[in-house]
Amino acid sequence: MNSSADNESEGSSRGPGSTRILALTVCSAAIGGTFQYGYNISIINAPTVYIRGFINDTYMDRWGIGLDTPQVTLVWTLIVSAFSLGGLLGALLAGPMAVHFGRKNSLLINNVFLFVGTVLVLTCRVSRSFEMIILARCLVGINAGVSMNIQPMYFGESAPKHLRGAVAFSSAVFTAFGIFLGQVVGLTELLGTEPMWPYLLGSNALPGLIQVLSLPWLPESPRYLLIDRGDREACVRALQRLRGGEAPVLEMEEMLQEQQQQQLIALKSESASSFKTPWSLFKDRNLRSQLKTVMAASSAMILCGNDSIYFYASYIFLEAGIPAEKIQYVAIGTGASELTASILSNVLIERVGRRYLLVGGYSLMVFWTIVFTLALTLQSHGVAGMPYLSMACVFAYILSFGLGPAGVTGILPAEIFDQGSRPVVYMVTGSLMWLSLILVGMLFPFIINSLGNFCFLPFLVVCLVSAVFLGLTLPETKGKTLAEINAEFDRKNGMKKERMEKQMDEPIKDHYQLGTGCSFSTMTQNPDYDHMKRSMTSSSE
Ligand SMILES: *[C@@H]1O[C@H](CO)[C@@H](O)[C@H](O)[C@H]1NC(C)=O
């Protein structure tokens, strides 16, 4: 009942093109955010050979002796992992930045890292220094780490309830688009040539520039303005612009209630719902199962090796027996299939549900790794046509990833956790994600070299474990209220079910009942929920 009333009040103020500002905000934030992440992951692939040559040449110039292959590989690995290391730093920086400067300003300030990195990478050849590439990649990584964490918060807080799923999912679409565009720009016909590689690496300044030129004219997150800044007028103005008309009364009320709630919490201090540090999050027994689930999901998203395929696409296709001169075009196909899948998934998510997409995605990936391994084995026995089968498997693997895990993983923390814990949960999952990227990035070349035909077996294990674990721990979150989701988790946390239900009396249940396809974030912003949770916490102790 709640949702229909909501839709009405929103609907009455919705004129044609009223979500234009919201759409522009999403594009502007994402172009310097997840797009940038995808773009930077894929542009490093094309100039591998040139940069390796450059490392050796500069070393030769400086010290008069050349390097041998393992040493060059070591420096190259440093360049590749510097990005993930930077990302980890960025993920840790993002929480404090988002609270201190606000969502929009943090994203804008964040571009400083990017631009310094661009200057370094454009001047590294003149200064004959490969160290500058390492530093530049680290700075670009910080940029990606910060925006990857702030962007979902900004989106979740700016979108109206009925669009929240789609808006959150656009992050995955932009990642895939970045990967795809990076692969296109990296073609030998464009910037993927020996003289052009510094410009290829520096081309990531353009999306940043677009963001710096567009985002200042778009509204800040209304929720941040009201709750963190206490600026009611600014909040109303931002909300009016985002909704393209009058600020919806119900939404405004919800926010005001939450503001009051936050003030109460601040007065009482040390409350269960004001999480500020990862430590307090880990200590809370009521959140243990939720935390385990999102931590598993975000590590699995990277450990399944999908993003490393972009780092090492050429290796994999060589291993699969694709002719060297065709590889760059095949690689573009990988980007294109993730893009297609993520767009498709955007349509599916509200129908099929998060749990099915996630568990189904990993199960499909298990299947494809098995076929891939069989194809590689048969290929080494000389069975014809196998390179094409294994290539098809890589595509199918990426498609399955794009359909489920790619998009669902990012929105889980927003759906499972309340406003108070969200920044810190993103900090934890973001760090895990980047740590996994470092791990896989460093292990991948060795996996390929030492396991040969069985190089996808470690990923098979990851996908299998993820499918089973998430299948067991993750309740379906689609169309359910946060209170219901938490009730499911509480059973797993070993809390008594009756106690939970006693707390959740009928009027509140009604109040939280949403139609399908709505996001639960609204629930988290309701003071009743916080109240309920706190009383639960106290009764359990
Ligand atoms: C590095 O350069 C030297 C001198 O040009 C060359 O002998 C050596 O093979 C190169 N090392 C690699 C790994 O290409």
Side-chain angles (χ1 to χ4, degrees):
M1 60 146 218
N2 205 9
S3 76
S4 62
D6 248 26
N7 285 340
E8 243 168 62
S9 72
E10 277 168 23
S12 60
S13 65
R14 214 187 300 146
S18 65
T19 48
R20 206 182 46 127
I21 296 287
L22 176 69
L24 285 176
T25 308
V26 165
C27 290
S28 174
I31 201 98
T34 47
F35 173 86
Q36 194 70 274
Y37 167 75
Y39 190 75
N40 282 299
I41 270 193
S42 74
I43 52 169
I44 198 71
N45 197 30
T48 306
V49 181
Y50 314 128
I51 296 178
R52 289 178 69 110
F54 175 74
I55 295 167
N56 195 15
D57 290 350
T58 45
Y59 199 86
M60 189 79 190
D61 277 3
R62 219 183 291 166
W63 309 107
I65 39 164
L67 293 168
D68 45 24
T69 310
Q71 289 166 319
V72 174
T73 304
L74 181 71
V75 179
W76 171 247
T77 313
L78 277 180
I79 291 177
V80 173
S81 3
F83 177 70
S84 325
L85 205 66
L88 181 61
L89 283 177
L92 297 174
L93 264 177
M97 269 177 88
V99 175
H100 199 261
F101 301 113
R103 282 46 163 162
K104 183 175 102 173
N105 288 338
S106 300
L107 288 179
L108 286 171
I109 295 168
N110 188 25
N111 284 302
V112 172
F113 298 114
L114 176 75
F115 294 143
V116 174
T118 309
V119 171
L120 283 175
V121 86
L122 288 179
T123 51
C124 70
R125 195 147 57 180
V126 187
S127 1
R128 314 253 357 122
S129 159
F130 58 81
E131 293 88 346
M132 286 164 74
I133 310 179
I134 304 180
L135 194 59
R137 288 297 289 179
C138 184
L139 287 168
V140 173
I142 295 179
N143 172 276
V146 169
S147 53
M148 290 273 286
N149 273 10
I150 295 183
Q151 185 183 317
M153 281 186 244
Y154 188 28
F155 283 6
E157 293 168 3
S158 302
K161 189 162 68 180
H162 65 287
L163 289 178
R164 213 165 272 165
V167 166
F169 223 86
S170 68
S171 296
V173 176
F174 273 97
T175 310
F177 183 47
I179 289 173
F180 176 69
L181 204 67
Q183 287 168 332
V184 172
V185 175
L187 280 177
T188 44
E189 287 86 351
L190 294 168
L191 292 180
T193 55
E194 159 84 90
M196 297 303 269
W197 69 259
Y199 302 103
L200 174 60
L201 290 191
S203 62
N204 58 16
L206 276 178
L209 208 60
I210 295 176
Q211 183 174 64
V212 167
L213 293 179
S214 58
L215 198 57
W217 284 271
L218 294 162
E220 168 66 286
S221 145
R223 206 165 285 279
Y224 170 80
L225 288 172
L226 184 71
I227 297 164
D228 295 46
R229 280 262 170 276
D231 190 344
R232 191 168 166 172
E233 279 95 76
C235 165
V236 172
R237 257 179 284 132
L239 202 59
Q240 280 172 344
R241 292 194 62 203
L242 283 168
R243 303 288 175 271
E246 284 301 298
V249 181
L250 221 97
E251 219 178 326
M252 199 60 214
E253 259 170 27
E254 266 177 358
M255 274 192 232
L256 282 170
Q257 277 179 338
E258 193 189 354
Q259 188 198 17
Q260 282 167 359
Q261 191 65 28
Q262 292 278 324
Q263 282 165 348
L264 267 179
I265 290 166
L267 279 180
K268 284 183 195 161
S269 74
E270 273 209 349
S271 165
S273 53
S274 61
F275 290 114
K276 289 282 181 263
T277 62
W279 180 235
S280 57
L281 189 68
F282 285 120
K283 267 200 317 202
D284 193 325
R285 280 189 296 126
N286 301 314
L287 295 178
R288 198 154 288 170
S289 184
Q290 287 92 318
L291 199 59
K292 262 194 250 167
T293 306
V294 291
M295 282 169 71
S298 48
S299 325
M301 179 170 114
I302 302 294
L303 289 178
C304 73
N306 184 77
D307 288 7
S308 315
I309 289 181
Y310 299 110
F311 278 141
Y312 298 102
S314 10
Y315 273 119
I316 295 171
F317 289 122
L318 266 183
E319 190 71 32
I322 307 298
E325 69 279 4
K326 284 189 189 155
I327 282 181
Q328 61 167 339
Y329 305 105
V330 176
I332 286 187
T334 57
S337 52
E338 186 168 338
L339 184 57
T340 315
S342 58
I343 294 172
L344 196 64
S345 179
N346 219 338
V347 181
L348 285 178
I349 183 135
E350 300 294 8
R351 292 178 197 189
V352 184
R354 281 75 162 145
R355 185 182 137 91
Y356 283 109
L357 281 182
L358 202 58
V359 177
Y362 281 122
S363 308
L364 277 176
M365 286 159 80
V366 169
F367 176 72
W368 295 120
T369 45
I370 294 172
V371 181
F372 184 69
T373 310
L374 283 179
L376 284 185
T377 314
L378 288 178
Q379 185 184 329
S380 58
H381 288 88
V383 180
M386 283 303 131
Y388 295 96
L389 180 58
S390 36
M391 188 174 84
C393 285
V394 173
F395 279 117
Y397 189 78
I398 291 175
L399 259 165
S400 316
F401 176 81
L403 266 182
V408 179
T409 311
I411 62 175
L412 277 185
E415 293 200 338
I416 295 179
F417 290 91
D418 62 16
Q419 181 91 4
S421 349
R422 215 171 287 148
V424 70
V425 172
Y426 271 111
M427 196 164 137
V428 170
T429 55
S431 315
L432 267 178
M433 205 198 85
W434 288 100
L435 274 173
S436 312
L437 200 62
I438 297 173
L439 193 72
V440 182
M442 291 199 307
L443 290 183
F444 207 86
F446 297 101
I447 290 175
I448 296 234
N449 283 338
S450 54
L451 294 182
N453 289 344
F454 299 104
C455 63
F456 259 55
L457 281 190
F459 304 124
L460 188 155
V461 175
V462 171
C463 294
L464 191 64
V465 171
S466 313
V468 173
F469 181 78
L470 293 172
L472 289 176
T473 61
L474 181 70
E476 178 54 67
T477 57
K478 177 183 77 100
K480 269 195 213 152
T481 68
L482 189 76
E484 286 167 338
I485 296 171
N486 270 295
E488 298 226 19
F489 275 116
D490 280 326
R491 246 166 291 161
K492 287 168 180 135
N493 284 329
M495 290 185 58
K496 289 211 178 66
K497 199 183 157 202
E498 318 88 73
R499 184 174 289 159
M500 180 63 212
E501 276 177 349
K502 208 174 77 194
Q503 296 293 337
M504 193 162 65
D505 41 32
E506 283 311 310
I508 297 184
K509 248 187 195 162
D510 259 12
H511 190 69
Y512 288 129
Q513 201 61 55
L514 288 181
T516 51
C518 296
S519 168
F520 318 96
S521 322
T522 24
M523 227 66 42
T524 65
Q525 286 131 23
N526 195 306
D528 291 349
Y529 166 69
D530 270 340
H531 171 74
M532 191 174 76
K533 210 172 105 200
R534 258 177 306 126
S535 53
M536 257 169 49
T537 317
S538 50
S539 61
S540 71
E541 273 161 13

